[in-house]
Amino acid sequence: MSAFTFVRLDARRASSGVLRLRTMDVTAKIRRILKEHGRLSLDADTLALNADLYEAGMTSHASVNVMLALEGEFDLEFPDHMLKRSVFDSIASISAAIGELQAAAA
Amino acid sequence: MAGEYDPQTFYDGLVRHGLIVPVGVPGAFGRGAVFEDVLERFNALVSQLARDDHAEVYTFPPVISRAVLEKVKYLDSFPHLCGAVYSFFGKEPEAKALAARVNEGQPWGDLLGITDVVMNPAACYPVYPSFSGTLPQAGRQVTMLNWVYRHEPSNEPTRMQSFRVREFVRAGTPAQVLAWRDLWLQRGLSLLVALGLPARAEVAADPFFGRGGKLLAINQKDQQLKFEVLVPVISAAEPTAVCSFNFHQEHFGTTFGIRTPDGHTASTACLGFGLERIVMALFRTHGFDPEGWPAQVRRQLWP
């Protein structure tokens, strides 16, 4: 991903402030979905962006529910090549995948 | 048997030789005497391999408690394969309405209600509730021969709605369970190769439902939780899984409160020989008439 993708995406909005807000917005939404569907043993609000979600207690089945909730929230569909463990193993990697899909759709 | 692999040709051959008997529904054919003879003899070879393990022997019916299926969250992963048993709960007027609908050729499923049993979809499921509590020091080892049901009607002969699995289940510490799984993977492969089948083992995944299922399958493969032994039966490029070896980690231990003597949640593993598929692999590899099978194969099955 992806800082590059975001920059390109938001170039039209022409403000790094917008970019920052947008990234924060995405991260906040991911944290909320992890809280609702991730069944984590740690607090999704304070989890580091690179913390391993599976190590934080997310089961395979919970990761499916997280994936489906992300698709609903961001109105996108993860393509087959993104349906893998490494895409859903941290807030940062989820955010990167969403950024990539949003950029492709823009 | 020489020639191309083709599901229809193979199915027709099985029927023509009286090995299977069509019943009008895909994947639910009857089995003839010769088919059953080979199946029982193969099963006896498996028993011989397991002789010194002293596994407890059980037989369960083709239905299991619906509560057990719900508890193991089967429907989270395999809603498409589930077969629940529905029965009639009404009185006279409802019975008349039901018969009328059936006789008129109208749909009648909505006049039935769900029962407390479902078709058993995995040979190992019925035994786990009996493991609840603390295991003995050596863990538990169980073997069963159970009918299982999967709702996947198909004209392809190896994809059956109802079939038998010779199953083994182990509960204990992760080390006990994994060593046992690896031992059986070798035993299973050696047995099939000795019977002249071009068998090989591969990391595999369960047929989880839907797009979420793809993620589950990839996770399962990454963690090497499932192995299958494959033999070409209807396709050379996509050989058929005839045995499966599954490490469940603590899934059933947590679900049914199974503990090791030191108080930890127990691990479990299971493995199954798909008996009909193995018999079909033998017919596909050596021909439809067992009289003509290679002597070294016959010697093992007809000692």
Side-chain angles (χ1 to χ4, degrees):
Chain A
M1 128 135 149
S2 270
F4 174 71
T5 313
F6 273 128
V7 169
R8 195 184 57 178
L9 217 188
D10 285 316
R12 276 164 288 173
R13 287 167 216 168
S15 151
S16 63
V18 171
L19 167 61
R20 223 172 13 251
L21 266 176
R22 211 175 147 282
T23 311
M24 280 171 61
D25 189 35
V26 168
T27 305
K29 284 177 174 172
I30 294 170
R31 287 187 190 278
R32 182 170 50 71
I33 284 169
L34 285 171
K35 240 179 150 71
E36 287 170 13
H37 302 280
R39 287 189 252 152
L40 303 181
S41 50
L42 301 170
D43 185 359
D45 283 337
T46 53
L47 209 58
L49 292 177
N50 286 312
D52 188 311
L53 297 173
Y54 292 98
E55 275 173 24
M58 184 170 72
T59 62
S60 294
H61 277 98
S63 73
V64 169
N65 293 332
V66 167
M67 178 198 93
L68 296 172
L70 290 166
E71 292 192 339
E73 176 67 44
F74 293 99
D75 191 24
L76 48 79
E77 192 170 293
F78 291 99
D80 280 4
H81 75 267
M82 282 191 175
L83 297 180
K84 56 188 178 193
R85 202 175 168 87
S86 59
V87 168
F88 298 94
D89 68 359
S90 70
I91 294 170
S93 57
I94 293 172
S95 175
I98 289 171
E100 194 178 312
L101 292 175
Q102 287 180 330
Chain B
M1 191 169 69
E4 301 283 305
Y5 287 96
D6 173 60
Q8 191 61 50
T9 311
F10 183 56
Y11 180 87
D12 293 345
L14 290 169
V15 173
R16 199 170 57 248
H17 289 82
L19 296 167
I20 64 169
V21 185
V23 294
V25 180
F29 42 79
R31 285 78 161 151
V34 174
F35 190 102
E36 283 299 289
D37 186 35
V38 175
L39 186 143
E40 282 166 20
R41 287 172 184 278
F42 176 79
N43 186 47
L45 287 183
V46 176
S47 298
Q48 210 173 308
L49 275 183
R51 199 182 40 212
D52 296 333
D53 296 352
H54 305 292
E56 305 161 57
V57 183
Y58 297 103
T59 299
F60 287 91
V63 290
I64 61 165
S65 161
R66 174 161 57 87
V68 168
L69 197 83
E70 291 166 357
K71 202 167 178 181
V72 302
K73 297 189 181 298
Y74 186 79
L75 292 157
D76 286 20
S77 299
F78 310 106
H80 56 310
L81 300 179
C82 176
V85 176
Y86 283 68
S87 289
F88 176 68
F89 293 92
K91 296 215 161 51
E92 296 286 330
E94 292 87 7
K96 282 205 173 68
L98 173 66
R101 283 249 215 118
V102 173
N103 295 332
E104 285 161 13
Q106 300 295 321
W108 49 278
D110 59 305
L111 300 181
L112 303 180
I114 199 164
T115 68
D116 288 339
V117 294
V118 291
M119 303 303 290
N120 182 23
C124 63
Y125 281 172
V127 84
Y128 296 116
S130 72
F131 287 173
S132 294
T134 302
L135 296 169
Q137 200 67 44
R140 293 274 296 269
Q141 259 192 87
V142 164
T143 184
M144 300 167 278
L145 198 172
N146 293 336
W147 281 91
V148 301
Y149 173 88
R150 309 263 168 91
H151 181 242
E152 39 184 2
S154 165
N155 290 319
E156 190 268 89
T158 64
R159 190 153 301 282
M160 291 158 274
Q161 298 206 59
S162 190
F163 53 93
R164 277 160 291 179
V165 177
R166 175 66 190 272
E167 185 82 0
F168 292 83
V169 178
R170 184 88 168 94
T173 64
Q176 284 173 331
V177 162
L178 283 171
W180 174 88
R181 193 258 330 252
D182 293 344
L183 169 72
W184 267 104
L185 188 53
Q186 274 319 308
R187 281 179 175 174
L189 257 179
S190 306
L191 175 61
L192 296 175
V193 168
L195 290 170
L197 300 177
R200 63 181 166 85
E202 212 169 72
V203 176
D206 285 308
F208 298 108
F209 177 76
R211 297 186 54 252
K214 284 193 179 141
L215 186 55
L216 291 177
I218 285 162
N219 275 338
Q220 195 182 25
K221 276 193 168 174
D222 279 355
Q223 297 177 78
Q224 304 214 338
L225 297 176
K226 185 183 188 78
F227 291 86
E228 286 176 342
V229 171
L230 308 169
V231 178
V233 181
I234 51 140
S235 159
E238 289 176 52
T240 300
V242 297
C243 303
S244 112
F245 304 78
N246 305 285
F247 179 43
H248 314 120
Q249 297 168 308
E250 296 179 358
H251 176 61
F252 293 114
T254 305
T255 304
F256 293 104
I258 311 166
R259 287 176 303 279
T260 53
D262 62 4
H264 289 104
T265 299
S267 293
T268 60
C270 74
L271 64 97
F273 291 86
L275 294 177
E276 280 86 355
R277 283 185 168 185
I278 288 169
V279 172
M280 287 185 196
L282 287 165
F283 284 119
R284 179 61 187 82
T285 306
H286 301 311
F288 289 122
D289 179 9
E291 300 280 341
W293 288 3
Q296 56 94 10
V297 175
R298 286 192 58 83
R299 256 201 308 280
Q300 296 172 72
L301 287 165
W302 285 269

